[in-house]
């Protein structure tokens, strides 16, 4: 709650309606800010139909803000479909910068190189997940992946199987109350998380690229 921007607060105060990925979560935030506004649901399961209702409100001259559960929407969150529906209807879409696990992890990862691949969530199917992970790591570029608490140990094991020495930074619950950031080799982090009795929270994982070493060498030569 401490990471919300002044602009976001003013937006919540000024709009007529607030659409939310989960109205219960957004209501907690609004109560904390002492803001009372009508809420409508706009989640992955109903995003297109909710988008149509939001367009109707906009057609009536109403202003609508959209809030995802935790951080800026549109990347591995509902929001992209809503943006398309609203823009196609001829209405303006105004971005309000906010907390983001993606940007937060990059800022502390270090040695990201010149190129960064954001993959979001990998397939839950083991074979497909490992195949895509191997492709990503073979590019030599740094990669950021999102993962749930239910598959984080499997993901770290897959990374370690491909390259146990590759440096990895794991961010848990980034920008939230129980934020945790752990850095080390893929093998070390696999052992760390598999030994934990329980794992909670959402994860963002930074996998360092092999091209970063080449970039450092080039800089030294210059």
């Amino acid at each position: 709650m401490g990471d919300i921007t002044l602009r976001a607060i003013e937006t919540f105060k000024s709009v007529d309606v607030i659409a939310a990925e989960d109205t219960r979560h957004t209501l907690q935030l609004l109560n904390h800010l002492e803001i009372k506004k009508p809420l409508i649901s706009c989640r992955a399961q109903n995003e297109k139909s909710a988008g149509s209702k939001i367009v109707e409100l906009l057609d009536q001259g109403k202003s609508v803000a959209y809030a995802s559960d935790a951080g800026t929407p549109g990347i591995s969150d509902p929001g992209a479909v809503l943006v398309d529906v609203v823009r196609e209807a001829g209405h303006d879409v105004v971005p309000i910068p906010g907390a983001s696990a993606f940007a937060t992890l990059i800022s502390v990862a270090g040695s990201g190189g010149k190129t960064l691949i954001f993959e979001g969530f990998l397939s839950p199917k083991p074979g497909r997940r490992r195949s895509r992970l191997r492709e990503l790591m073979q590019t030599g570029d740094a990669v950021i992946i999102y993962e749930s608490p239910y598959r984080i140990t499997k993901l770290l094991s897959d990374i370690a199987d491909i390259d146990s020495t590759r440096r990895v930074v794991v961010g848990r619950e980034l920008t939230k109350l129980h934020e945790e950031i752990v850095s080390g080799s893929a093998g070390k982090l696999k052992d760390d998380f598999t030994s934990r009795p329980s794992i909670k929270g959402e994860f963002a994982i930074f996998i360092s690229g092999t091209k970063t070493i080449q970039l450092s060498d080039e800089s030294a030569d210059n």
Side-chain angles (χ1 to χ4, degrees):
M1 290 183 178
D3 286 332
I4 191 167
T5 66
L6 294 175
R7 187 180 175 198
I9 294 172
E10 288 305 313
T11 299
F12 281 146
K13 288 180 178 179
S14 65
V15 296
D16 298 304
V17 179
I18 297 174
E21 179 181 354
D22 189 321
T23 55
R24 296 166 300 179
H25 291 170
T26 299
L27 182 60
Q28 290 178 348
L29 175 62
L30 295 176
N31 287 339
H32 173 73
L33 299 171
E34 298 183 344
I35 297 174
K36 292 185 178 181
K37 295 286 179 175
L39 287 169
I40 58 175
S41 172
C42 181
R43 58 191 192 279
Q45 293 80 3
N46 74 342
E47 191 171 356
K48 199 159 187 177
S49 59
S52 298
K53 293 178 183 178
I54 290 170
V55 168
E56 290 179 10
L57 291 170
L58 296 173
D59 288 342
Q60 296 168 13
K62 303 286 187 181
S63 56
V64 183
Y66 177 68
S68 64
D69 281 357
T72 305
I75 301 178
S76 291
D77 284 310
V81 172
L82 175 61
V83 166
D84 283 343
V85 170
V86 169
R87 185 174 286 131
E88 287 176 5
H91 295 285
D92 292 333
V93 179
V94 181
I96 308 296
S100 166
F102 172 76
T104 301
L105 188 61
I106 293 172
S107 70
V108 296
S111 64
K114 294 175 67 175
T115 303
L116 176 68
I117 300 173
F118 175 72
E119 183 71 8
F121 288 94
L122 293 172
S123 171
K125 296 182 178 179
R128 190 173 297 177
R129 182 183 65 244
R130 284 192 291 267
S131 176
R132 180 55 180 158
L133 188 58
R134 188 176 297 277
E135 289 176 357
L136 291 167
M137 293 177 65
Q138 287 176 345
T139 65
D141 294 317
V143 179
I144 284 188
I145 294 169
Y146 283 173
E147 192 51 274
S148 73
Y150 311 108
R151 292 192 296 271
I152 183 63
T153 56
K154 295 176 182 177
L155 175 64
L156 291 174
S157 294
D158 289 341
I159 296 172
D161 287 344
I162 296 170
D163 184 353
S164 63
T165 64
R166 187 76 66 95
R167 191 174 69 86
V168 176
V169 182
V170 174
R172 184 177 70 86
E173 291 290 273
L174 293 176
T175 80
K176 302 176 191 175
L177 182 62
H178 301 291
E179 179 178 277
E180 177 186 15
I181 299 171
V182 185
S183 177
S185 68
K188 175 184 174 183
L189 294 189
K190 180 198 74 171
D191 293 340
D192 176 355
F193 280 88
T194 53
S195 66
R196 297 188 181 194
S198 66
I199 299 176
K200 297 179 180 179
E202 297 297 322
F203 289 84
I205 302 93
F206 173 91
I207 306 172
S208 65
T210 56
K211 292 180 181 177
T212 55
I213 299 174
Q214 298 172 8
L215 289 169
S216 299
D217 290 344
E218 289 172 7
S219 299
D221 291 340
N222 293 333

